[in-house]
Amino acid sequence: MLDERALVDGCRHKDRTAQRKLYELFARKLFVVSQRYTKNRDDAEDVLQDAFVKAFQHIDTFRFECPLEAWLKRIVINTALKHIRKQKPWQNQAELEDVAPNALPQTEDSLSGLHYQQLLKMVQELPPGCQAVFNLYAIEGYTHPEIAELLDISEGTSKSQFSRARMLLQQKIQNERPIPK
């Protein structure tokens, strides 16, 4: 197997074999990332394909300052966010300060007993704005100010979308659990 430097060098020279190997090496992991930001498999595939096209177009900018996988993951996330921004899912959303304090859940639910595919489906069923903010904050580790800048929304909207996502996910999790007899 080629090392990453040789693979990147081949891609810089538009070598189709190197491009295919790079795709085969990372596509599966990056598809999972893409799925977290989209509503269905077709959209996730479109985002992944667009991300790889961008990666191949901009491979000259990769300087090995981070792992290649991290660089590619960033491209997938940015491509997914661009896809989401086109939909403008946060229009007409309340700021966190406008949400009634009692409307937000106060308990922490455990995710034990749920499978990854069930959780992924629940996240995919969230409204697009909630889904994007939830992924960026809870999974990718961005702060609300960073999310606000990435999505061109206010920090309050980011917080509101995250709170709404948590509430919706907690409701979905409770509905998935078997009712005790």
Side-chain angles (χ1 to χ4, degrees), residues 55-83:
F56 293 137
Q57 288 173 342
H58 300 284
I59 195 78
D60 288 334
T61 65
F62 182 65
R63 302 282 180 243
F64 294 96
E65 295 168 349
C66 65
L68 180 57
E69 182 177 344
W71 184 75
L72 291 168
K73 181 179 177 184
R74 173 60 117 173
I75 292 172
V76 170
I77 291 170
N78 286 336
T79 303
L81 294 178
K82 183 177 180 185
H83 176 78

Side-chain angles (χ1 to χ4, degrees), residues 55-139:
F56 293 137
Q57 288 173 342
H58 300 284
I59 195 78
D60 288 334
T61 65
F62 182 65
R63 302 282 180 243
F64 294 96
E65 295 168 349
C66 65
L68 180 57
E69 182 177 344
W71 184 75
L72 291 168
K73 181 179 177 184
R74 173 60 117 173
I75 292 172
V76 170
I77 291 170
N78 286 336
T79 303
L81 294 178
K82 183 177 180 185
H83 176 78
I84 293 166
R85 277 192 297 268
K86 287 180 187 175
Q87 301 167 3
K88 300 186 186 235
W90 23 80
Q91 286 183 335
N92 304 320
Q93 294 295 317
E95 296 284 331
L96 183 62
E97 295 78 24
D98 299 334
V99 177
N102 295 335
L104 300 177
Q106 302 300 318
T107 61
E108 295 293 326
D109 278 325
S110 169
L111 298 178
S112 62
L114 290 177
H115 296 287
Y116 172 77
Q117 289 299 326
Q118 290 173 295
L119 291 172
L120 175 61
K121 185 176 183 289
M122 289 177 187
V123 171
Q124 287 177 323
E125 290 172 349
L126 291 172
C130 292
Q131 182 182 8
V133 172
F134 178 82
N135 283 314
L136 289 168
Y137 186 83
I139 297 173

Side-chain angles (χ1 to χ4, degrees), residues 145-165:
E146 291 169 329
I147 294 168
E149 185 176 330
L150 276 172
L151 299 178
D152 195 26
I153 59 176
S154 72
E155 188 176 335
T157 298
S158 176
K159 290 177 181 178
S160 174
Q161 291 288 306
F162 180 71
S163 292
R164 183 169 177 229

Side-chain angles (χ1 to χ4, degrees), residues 31 34 41-51 79 83:
F31 181 70
S34 181
R41 185 175 185 87
D42 290 340
D43 286 347
E45 288 172 353
D46 288 347
V47 165
L48 184 66
Q49 180 181 358
D50 290 348
T79 303
H83 176 78

